[in-house]
Amino acid sequence: MVETARVIDALGLVCPEPVMMLHAEIRKTPAGGLVRLLATDPSAQRDVASFCRFLNHELLETHEGDDRFEFVIRKAMA
């Protein structure tokens, strides 16, 4: 597991809240910084990947288990 500087607990929340929380936290994160998102909404898999592609952030890790999803994202450098 990659060590992260910030953790977002979006467990129990549904679309679009997990990605909205991720977007807000990414704005506060320095370039190259890491964010870990915890979510239970299955649509987060698609939404987080799309969010990262669209804004050039790097989706480093995705884990699924125990009815939850975990994502590690590196903020784009520019």
Side-chain angles (χ1 to χ4, degrees):
M1 180 56 156
V2 175
E3 185 176 326
T4 61
R6 303 174 189 267
V7 177
I8 303 166
D9 183 350
L11 299 173
L13 301 177
V14 296
C15 181
E17 290 182 88
V19 171
M20 290 174 60
M21 292 174 72
L22 173 61
H23 190 66
E25 193 62 41
I26 283 282
R27 285 183 176 165
K28 298 185 277 185
T29 302
L34 301 175
V35 175
R36 182 166 60 121
L37 173 67
L38 307 175
T40 49
D41 184 0
S43 66
Q45 293 178 0
R46 177 197 65 233
D47 295 345
V48 170
S50 295
F51 172 83
C52 290
R53 263 192 316 276
F54 185 73
L55 296 174
N56 296 317
H57 302 305
E58 185 178 0
L59 181 55
L60 297 175
E61 295 183 29
T62 302
H63 301 280
E64 179 180 353
D66 297 329
D67 296 324
R68 71 183 224 172
F69 306 93
E70 186 172 336
F71 308 92
V72 178
I73 300 103
R74 181 183 310 279
K75 183 174 178 175
M77 295 304 284

